[in-house]
Amino acid sequence: MIIEIGHFALILAFLAAIIQTLLPLLGTYRRDNVLMAVAVPAALTQFILLTLSFLALMYAFVISDFSVELVWKNSHSAKPVLYKISGVWGNHEGSMVLWVLILALFGTLVALFGRNLPPGLKANALAVQGSISVAFLFFILATSNPFTRLDPAPIDGRGLNPILQDPALAFHPPFLYAGYVGFSMAFSFAVAALIEGRLDAAWARWVRPWTLVAWMCLTIGISMGSWWAYYELGWGGWWFWDPVENASFMPWLAGTALLHSALVMEKRDALKIWTVLLAILTFSLSLLGTFLVRSGVLTSVHAFATDPERGVFILGIMMFFIGGSLALYAWRAPQLRQGGLFAPISREGSLVLNNLILTSAAACVLVGTLYPLVLESLTGEKISVGAPFFNMTFGPIMLPLLVAAPFGPLLAWKRGDIHAAVQRLYWAAGLSFVAIVASFALVERGPWLAPFGIGLGLWIVGGALSEIIFRTKLFRAPIDETWRRARGLPRSAYGTCFAHLGLGLSVLGIVATSAWQSEKVVAMKPGQAENIAGYRVIFGGVAPRSGPNYKELVGLFTVTKGGELVTRLNPSKRNFTVQKQVTTEAGIYNSVLGDLYVVLGDKLDAGGYSVRVYFNPLVRLIWIGTLVMFFGGFLSLTDRRLRVGAPKRAHAAAHPAPAE
Amino acid sequence: MTRKQRRFTLIGVSLTVLAIAVGLVLTALEDSIVFFYSPSDVVEKQIKPGERFRLGGLVVDGSVKRGKGTKVDFAITDTDRTTSVRFDGVLPDLFREGQGVITEGQLDGNGVFMADNVLAKHDETYMPREVADALKKKGVWQGQSEPAAKQ
């Protein structure tokens, strides 16, 4: 019964989305306030119905109702509850429902908190948002119904792919989707502005918080995925330039560019046309990401939907939204007034450079991701574009951006003084120089470029702190004045500082672990030991153990340093009985300097096991950096200036204005 | 600076960045892509020793022989032709005789494929797409059987 209610709610949500699309559009066309106002209750209704539907599906998973085909395919009664819940979105159908649910959630937030929005803009934005819902709900109902029943119901399910049964991966998709879908807000506002033909600084002030939220979610989502790949796949790597990773990375790059260009638009009323285009492109890349992962065109872990019919469907949706919005853009953009002039050396100039580089980098990733598909469909040749391609293109393109990042916040709007900025960065440059010399002195192996990479990371970290240090007159004024100034600084200044700081930390981690990772693959018998990076790893044999839905073989390793016990590591090979699948669990010890990472391999004929041991220096800085970036975004979000409802607009909305 | 000069600077910088990006992409596509071949392709296309490529197919039953330390020998077939492979390292969890596999490396002088990477695919029922296509061409691929209960 509950399942049927869920299915019915899904259909009703589809109808609500149609109403949310058509009536407000008609309303703005006819300048009818009543019709325009329909957008708000329609968005709310759609969200409530989708929540019902989603809860019904979750209920089916939690009570293991195997009469639902989706549950039977992706769940098993012996699975821990957390993975029963995450099983809801660990498959194609359920994840699409989650996708639309998050879309509706964003729409609802606009409906609820957008009281101060100009009514026309709000109605149009919600209508565009609704139309995306219509397309995806139609897709779900027509090709991927999650509520299909099985009769008779099987005794037990087939279980969730064991490799997906992991806490980080349980929450990876919701964050990723919140990011993807969050960019739909910027898109809807952009299309709404194009429909209205009006675009001002207030528009940017409206779009920026949504973009920021989306960006934060995407940052965490990507970071979780990378963290999962690091400890679950057992290869000691943290990023593989896998097409599915790229699919989430492209919107992140474009979204980062969008955050920065919206800043220019908000503050200086410049770069308007570009910002709108970027909003469209960012969401287009999010759609492309959904398409790439969902259509199964990629050979990848995540491509579970290998049904080409669905792929063609999503391709159609994508062409409609991307093509339609770009056509609207081409038609309307020339009518938008260009604003604010600025000199090449200025805050605006630096943000333009940021945008140029980020979009070029995104384009490189796009080429690398799609080239194999295009080549295969044209010539039938199969190729793989892997890490070497991206290291050769993405790296050099991003390099100038990383070098320039500290300058941006120190340049004034309109016309900046590069000498003053350089002066303020002396100490950061000094710090970086010392770090370069020190790394050359301390580390005797690894590529000669690596110390410069470390210098670059510290340069960004130092640069990020420079602005705060300068503006609070730290060490140059009495401490109480510094404190007063520090409290007076807007939160967004700290936001920028932390975001850039996080970037610097991630760069440090990436450089250190790429350049100085130690790896050993050895055959070990019980009692044997191996030395790596100052540690002594002693193999004590293996022991069997069983978990809730698996049996595992645990390797017993003792790690010592200078004769003293450091830790015991228990990497294992898990055998999931339902799926008859083996997964590898790495044993990881993290010290301040890096991770000791031990993986148990196959049993060898000569006795003993093959064992992989890695030392990954500073690798955790990569994820710590993303957390710091996330925190920076959060600080920016709480800035008074960005709180929903600019003062001017609040006033206007207090007295409902007659339709223009 | 006049408006015109500013615009020129902007366009100039943009074009430079774009040109660099295009240049890098083209060079990288030239140098760093890796082709996928089946054992038959290796013979038909007369792949030379030293050329890096991916070799995929089924692991021949009974061909896996452990050598000294972590060395392992096995053979990959597309049912038509077979190539011997040598690998030093830890095989992925899903590596099994009779199953599809992709390896990356190069041929030595004797026609043995020296793999430095054996790719792990993470789904039991999942056949690497390149391998499936190569087998389809040989007419031995029956496709993945959908569960019988699906109606």
Side-chain angles (χ1 to χ4, degrees):
Chain A
M1 185 60 195
I2 288 180
I3 303 307
E4 275 65 41
I5 292 176
H7 191 184
F8 193 55
L10 199 62
I11 297 170
L12 287 180
F14 174 59
L15 298 178
I18 292 178
I19 293 171
Q20 185 189 337
T21 309
L22 295 181
L23 294 189
L25 275 183
L26 189 67
T28 45
Y29 180 70
R30 289 216 207 135
R31 305 200 185 287
D32 181 337
N33 276 335
V34 179
L35 279 181
M36 288 202 304
V38 169
V40 173
L44 286 174
T45 313
Q46 197 215 138
F47 174 65
I48 293 169
L49 287 167
L50 281 173
T51 309
L52 269 180
S53 181
F54 189 73
L55 287 178
L57 195 59
M58 196 182 269
Y59 170 81
F61 269 88
V62 171
I63 66 153
S64 296
D65 181 350
F66 296 117
S67 70
V68 178
E69 188 185 350
L70 192 68
V71 180
W72 167 71
K73 272 187 175 168
N74 297 289
S75 196
H76 188 274
S77 50
K79 205 169 60 170
V81 175
L82 172 67
Y83 304 127
K84 283 184 181 167
I85 294 174
S86 73
V88 178
W89 53 77
N91 58 76
H92 167 77
E93 289 84 352
S95 65
M96 288 322 287
V97 176
L98 180 67
W99 205 96
V100 187
L101 178 68
I102 297 175
L103 187 71
L105 172 68
F106 274 101
T108 305
L109 290 177
V110 173
L112 287 181
F113 298 108
R115 297 215 174 85
N116 305 326
L117 272 172
L121 182 66
K122 181 176 171 183
N124 279 333
L126 281 174
V128 177
Q129 196 77 10
S131 68
I132 303 171
S133 278
V134 171
F136 275 88
L137 281 171
F138 185 55
F139 169 68
I140 293 173
L141 289 169
T143 72
S144 348
N145 183 1
F147 295 107
T148 311
R149 290 276 204 175
L150 287 176
D151 188 28
I155 312 284
D156 213 330
R158 299 200 303 185
L160 178 68
N161 189 341
I163 201 119
L164 303 179
Q165 295 188 26
D166 178 273
L169 210 65
F171 296 105
H172 162 67
F175 273 105
L176 212 54
Y177 284 5
Y180 278 174
V181 176
F183 288 129
S184 72
M185 290 313 308
F187 173 83
S188 297
F189 272 98
V191 172
L194 287 173
I195 293 174
E196 284 208 315
R198 212 180 58 196
L199 198 59
D200 48 23
W203 180 89
R205 202 170 307 153
W206 269 104
V207 169
R208 223 156 72 81
W210 299 110
T211 312
L212 202 51
V213 171
W215 178 86
M216 284 161 63
C217 293
L218 197 56
T219 307
I220 284 297
I222 295 175
S223 174
M224 272 182 174
S226 146
W227 168 236
W228 168 79
Y230 172 69
Y231 71 76
E232 180 70 31
L233 296 185
W235 294 95
W238 51 276
W239 189 262
F240 300 91
W241 293 109
D242 178 277
V244 172
E245 290 172 323
N246 295 347
S248 62
F249 193 45
M250 289 185 282
W252 188 85
L253 289 169
T256 311
L258 177 61
L259 275 183
H260 289 87
S261 78
L263 201 66
V264 179
M265 187 171 159
E266 182 193 343
K267 287 284 181 62
R268 299 283 308 144
D269 208 22
L271 294 189
K272 288 202 258 187
I273 298 179
W274 168 247
T275 304
V276 168
L277 179 63
L278 208 49
I280 293 174
L281 289 181
T282 304
F283 185 59
S284 302
L285 287 172
S286 300
L287 281 180
L288 182 73
T290 311
F291 169 71
L292 287 180
V293 178
R294 293 285 151 226
S295 66
V297 288
L298 299 173
T299 340
S300 173
V301 200
H302 300 249
F304 9 68
T306 37
D307 189 343
E309 189 185 315
R310 289 173 180 166
V312 171
F313 210 119
I314 300 190
L315 194 62
I317 294 179
M318 220 169 80
M319 300 230 291
F320 173 75
F321 283 104
I322 299 176
S325 56
L326 286 179
L328 186 69
Y329 177 80
W331 175 41
R332 287 289 213 170
Q335 296 172 24
L336 300 172
R337 262 186 318 109
Q338 271 289 21
L341 271 179
F342 54 87
I345 299 286
S346 63
R347 183 83 68 92
E348 294 96 318
S350 71
L351 290 169
V352 167
L353 184 71
N354 155 304
N355 270 239
L356 262 173
I357 292 177
L358 282 173
T359 42
S360 307
C364 283
V365 179
L366 183 70
V367 171
T369 311
L370 294 186
Y371 185 71
L373 299 178
V374 174
L375 190 74
E376 193 186 334
S377 59
L378 291 182
T379 67
E381 295 250 51
K382 291 176 203 301
I383 58 159
S384 74
V385 172
F389 170 86
F390 295 102
N391 292 343
M392 270 179 78
T393 55
F394 185 77
I397 288 174
M398 286 298 275
L399 190 66
L401 179 66
L402 297 177
V403 173
F407 287 102
L410 292 173
L411 292 172
W413 292 105
K414 215 169 173 189
R415 184 177 291 119
D417 183 351
I418 192 86
H419 299 295
V422 168
Q423 273 175 6
R424 285 172 209 167
L425 287 170
Y426 273 158
W427 76 273
L431 181 74
S432 155
F433 181 73
V434 171
I436 294 173
V437 173
S439 351
F440 266 118
L442 291 174
V443 189
E444 60 270 23
R445 59 185 195 87
W448 62 272
L449 264 173
F452 291 100
I454 295 294
L456 180 65
L458 279 171
W459 161 248
I460 302 170
V461 169
L465 296 172
S466 286
E467 197 206 353
I468 300 294
I469 290 174
F470 170 77
R471 283 175 73 173
T472 55
K473 294 202 169 166
L474 186 69
F475 307 130
R476 285 180 297 130
I479 192 73
D480 51 329
E481 193 197 333
T482 299
W483 177 239
R484 191 177 52 74
R485 282 171 170 268
R487 289 187 3 162
L489 275 185
R491 294 253 181 96
S492 60
Y494 289 109
T496 309
C497 166
F498 275 99
H500 285 190
L501 187 71
L503 175 69
L505 292 177
S506 290
V507 168
L508 280 177
I510 292 168
V511 169
T513 198
S514 312
W516 294 308
Q517 183 188 57
S518 321
E519 179 188 359
K520 279 191 173 171
V521 183
V522 284
M524 283 179 114
K525 287 180 183 166
Q528 283 186 337
E530 190 64 37
N531 293 321
I532 190 163
Y535 292 98
R536 190 169 173 79
V537 181
I538 305 152
F539 181 43
V542 294
R545 199 162 64 181
S546 43
N549 52 351
Y550 56 84
K551 290 195 170 63
E552 64 182 345
L553 196 63
V554 183
L556 308 167
F557 291 87
T558 314
V559 180
T560 61
K561 190 171 197 174
E564 283 182 39
L565 177 72
V566 176
T567 185
R568 290 176 208 282
L569 290 178
N570 297 317
S572 70
K573 271 204 171 303
R574 279 189 190 162
N575 195 343
F576 285 79
T577 33
V578 177
Q579 296 89 348
K580 299 191 184 61
Q581 185 174 334
V582 181
T583 68
T584 298
E585 304 292 316
I588 305 175
Y589 167 73
N590 66 307
S591 71
V592 181
L593 283 177
D595 283 10
L596 185 67
Y597 186 110
V598 182
V599 179
L600 184 68
D602 317 304
K603 190 171 170 39
L604 300 174
D605 298 342
Y609 287 80
S610 59
V611 175
R612 262 205 308 263
V613 191
Y614 298 91
F615 186 75
N616 300 319
L618 300 185
V619 67
R620 298 214 171 203
L621 279 183
I622 297 171
W623 302 294
I624 293 173
T626 60
L627 286 176
V628 174
M629 279 189 233
F630 178 87
F631 182 63
F634 176 74
L635 282 181
S636 264
L637 200 63
T638 59
D639 190 282
R640 203 181 297 122
R641 202 166 39 82
L642 268 189
R643 259 183 229 145
V644 187
K648 247 191 314 189
R649 293 288 163 197
H651 184 70
H655 317 276
E660 291 161 50
Chain B
M1 240 185 213
T2 63
R3 205 186 173 108
K4 209 172 188 178
Q5 280 172 320
R6 278 175 185 167
R7 186 160 291 171
F8 271 128
T9 322
L10 191 65
I11 294 173
V13 172
S14 313
L15 286 181
T16 316
V17 172
L18 211 64
I20 292 172
V22 170
L24 283 171
V25 167
L26 291 180
T27 345
L29 281 181
E30 195 98 320
D31 297 348
S32 64
I33 56 169
V34 182
F35 282 87
F36 173 91
Y37 299 128
S38 67
S40 299
D41 290 335
V42 173
V43 178
E44 281 159 22
K45 299 196 172 162
Q46 298 175 342
I47 311 297
K48 289 182 186 61
E51 187 191 329
R52 242 188 117 66
F53 65 97
R54 283 187 171 186
L55 175 73
L58 299 172
V59 181
V60 179
D61 272 324
S63 71
V64 180
K65 289 197 179 58
R66 302 261 173 205
K68 214 172 151 233
T70 54
K71 287 195 177 63
V72 57
D73 287 325
F74 55 94
I76 290 181
T77 182
D78 53 8
T79 68
D80 207 10
R81 291 188 188 270
T82 301
T83 308
S84 308
V85 181
R86 185 159 298 160
F87 175 63
D88 188 358
V90 177
L91 292 169
D93 293 331
L94 290 175
F95 182 90
R96 242 163 267 169
E97 290 182 353
Q99 298 246 342
V101 70
I102 294 180
T103 58
E104 191 170 323
Q106 54 204 16
L107 291 172
D108 72 354
N110 306 320
V112 177
F113 189 69
M114 311 301 280
D116 46 36
N117 199 359
V118 175
L119 295 183
K121 291 296 167 189
H122 309 112
D123 187 343
E124 167 76 3
T125 57
Y126 181 64
M127 173 74 86
R129 197 172 53 104
E130 290 93 337
V131 176
D133 287 352
L135 293 179
K136 258 184 211 155
K137 242 178 14 195
K138 298 285 165 212
V140 290
W141 172 253
Q142 286 97 32
Q144 259 144 267
S145 52
E146 271 295 294
K150 193 176 178 182
Q151 277 148 20

